[in-house]
Amino acid sequence: MTIADTQLQTQGTPQSAKDIGDAWIRMVARRRLYTGMGLLILIIAFVSSVRFADESNAGHFFDRLPHLFDFLSWLIPKDWADVYRALFDLPSPNGANGVGGEEFNFPLGRVYVWGDFYIPEYFELMIITINVALVSTLIGFIVALPLSFFAARNMSPSHPLRLVTKRFMELLRAFPEIVIAGLFSAILSIGPIAAIIAVGLHTIGALGKLFYEVIENIDMKPDEGMRAVGASWTERVRFAALPQVLPNFMSYVLLRLEINVRASTIIGAVGGGGIGEELKLSISRGFGAKTVALVLLLFVTIIAVDQFSAWLRRRLVGEHAFLLQH
């Protein structure tokens, strides 16, 4: 077909602005119809599944729905000053003369360092949680760094090695940290060691994937120059690839540190030590002041870690990476 034939065909089927507008309206109406039908099907499926679950569940979901927030009333402190006392292990008048028992035994948790100087119990547990996150992130970074170069398509020494490395990291990412922690808690007994292993293994898989995706997008011209002068694979990685990806690597490591602080808290609930274990016990026993103090300390700590990580990323990557490009 020639250009002239195309022009004649186009001229033979002219479309006015009104025809184009009508076609657009019909297309939008059809899309809205399909969207509405999809939402209706989704709502019907959701309601049906909930009704089935309600009939199959002895707890009766709909009957108990009005009591959804009853547990919050159990955790409201009778004396809000006890939140401060629980946070800093100060004696409470509500627990005087043995009244109140374990709910108000705040001074018993003090960790004495020297003489009368002590670290409040919850601060010490929070330090353990942060240490678990730091050590596991460090382990994940050290192991994931070489594995990412083995898994990257443009830097891997061999195809079989790349496939094996990718499958290995996928295996580490396949299981949540809490499952791995439960397994190692049964083997090594409860404590921070099981939490470090669980979070560290998951961090290897997560950081490895992020790292090798960054490596696959680097500029290969420096690597070609290193090849031309007879550099080994290790030298190419060290001098051609690593300088390009290291700032992004550090950014991902700091982001993973923030995630690991939260993960370490959750793992504490299954015997991983730290503040998570104490938070679980406090909630299960209905200790309002202790629960609020733990949640408050955890909230402030996560905000502090997030802000510190953001500041450090800016220092490592540079302010220009956070500015809008025009």
Side-chain angles (χ1 to χ4, degrees):
M1 179 181 293
T2 64
I3 298 177
D5 294 336
T6 305
Q7 291 176 348
L8 289 174
Q9 184 177 1
T10 304
Q11 292 174 1
T13 57
Q15 284 188 333
S16 64
K18 183 177 182 304
D19 294 334
I20 296 174
D22 291 342
W24 171 259
I25 292 173
R26 288 194 298 272
M27 184 182 69
V28 171
R30 187 165 57 250
R31 281 190 172 185
R32 288 176 177 174
L33 177 62
Y34 292 159
T35 302
M37 292 175 60
L39 289 175
L40 181 61
I41 293 172
L42 184 62
I43 292 172
I44 292 174
F46 174 75
V47 173
S48 301
S49 61
V50 170
R51 290 179 64 87
F52 176 78
D54 180 62
E55 294 172 358
S56 304
N57 185 7
H60 296 293
F61 176 78
F62 289 108
D63 294 341
R64 299 297 301 171
L65 195 60
H67 306 283
L68 182 62
F69 295 102
D70 281 358
F71 77 98
L72 291 178
S73 63
W74 306 337
L75 299 178
I76 295 177
K78 300 178 180 64
D79 183 0
W80 282 94
D82 278 336
V83 176
Y84 175 80
R85 300 182 186 111
L87 198 58
F88 294 97
D89 291 345
L90 301 176
S92 171
N94 299 306
N97 300 322
V99 179
E102 190 177 354
E103 184 176 0
F104 301 103
N105 62 348
F106 307 141
L108 295 181
R110 295 177 178 179
V111 180
Y112 286 94
V113 179
W114 180 75
D116 293 333
F117 178 75
Y118 68 92
I119 299 175
E121 178 186 11
Y122 295 161
F123 284 82
E124 192 254 352
L125 293 175
M126 194 72 244
I127 291 173
I128 293 176
T129 299
I130 294 176
N131 283 338
V132 169
L134 285 171
V135 174
S136 58
T137 304
L138 182 61
I139 292 173
F141 171 69
I142 292 173
V143 179
L145 182 62
L147 291 181
S148 62
F149 286 98
F150 294 149
R153 184 183 300 273
N154 54 342
M155 293 298 298
S156 180
S158 67
H159 182 68
L161 178 61
R162 181 171 67 86
L163 293 179
V164 171
T165 305
K166 280 190 173 183
R167 300 296 85 80
F168 174 69
M169 291 191 293
E170 289 169 0
L171 178 64
L172 295 180
R173 295 196 306 273
F175 300 98
E177 297 98 325
I178 194 168
V179 175
I180 304 175
L183 173 64
F184 280 97
S185 295
I187 299 173
L188 303 174
S189 76
I190 61 175
I193 300 299
I196 290 173
I197 295 175
V199 180
L201 289 177
H202 197 276
T203 301
I204 293 171
L207 286 182
K209 177 178 174 58
L210 295 172
F211 285 179
Y212 79 71
E213 288 179 350
V214 172
I215 295 170
E216 290 180 344
N217 291 315
I218 65 173
D219 183 6
M220 294 303 294
K221 291 180 180 179
D223 182 73
E224 293 172 1
M226 296 292 293
R227 282 175 180 267
V229 298
S232 65
W233 180 83
T234 306
E235 292 171 337
R236 287 162 44 213
V237 168
R238 169 64 182 86
F239 297 104
L242 196 58
Q244 298 186 61
V245 299
L246 195 56
N248 284 332
F249 280 11
M250 297 310 301
S251 181
Y252 282 132
V253 168
L254 292 172
L255 174 62
R256 189 66 201 183
L257 174 61
E258 300 172 12
I259 297 172
N260 285 349
V261 171
R262 302 177 183 91
S264 302
T265 303
I266 297 172
I267 287 177
V270 297
I275 200 171
E277 185 175 3
E278 186 66 26
L279 181 60
K280 177 189 174 184
L281 293 174
S282 179
I283 293 176
S284 63
R285 296 171 182 175
F287 296 164
K290 289 186 175 182
T291 300
V292 174
L294 287 165
V295 171
L296 180 63
L297 178 60
L298 182 61
F299 179 68
V300 172
T301 302
I302 289 177
I303 291 178
V305 171
D306 287 350
Q307 293 299 316
F308 173 74
S309 298
W311 172 81
L312 194 54
R313 280 201 302 273
R314 288 177 179 271
R315 297 287 295 178
L316 292 172
V317 180
E319 290 286 343
H320 63 279
F322 295 86
L323 299 177
L324 292 176
Q325 300 296 326
H326 298 286

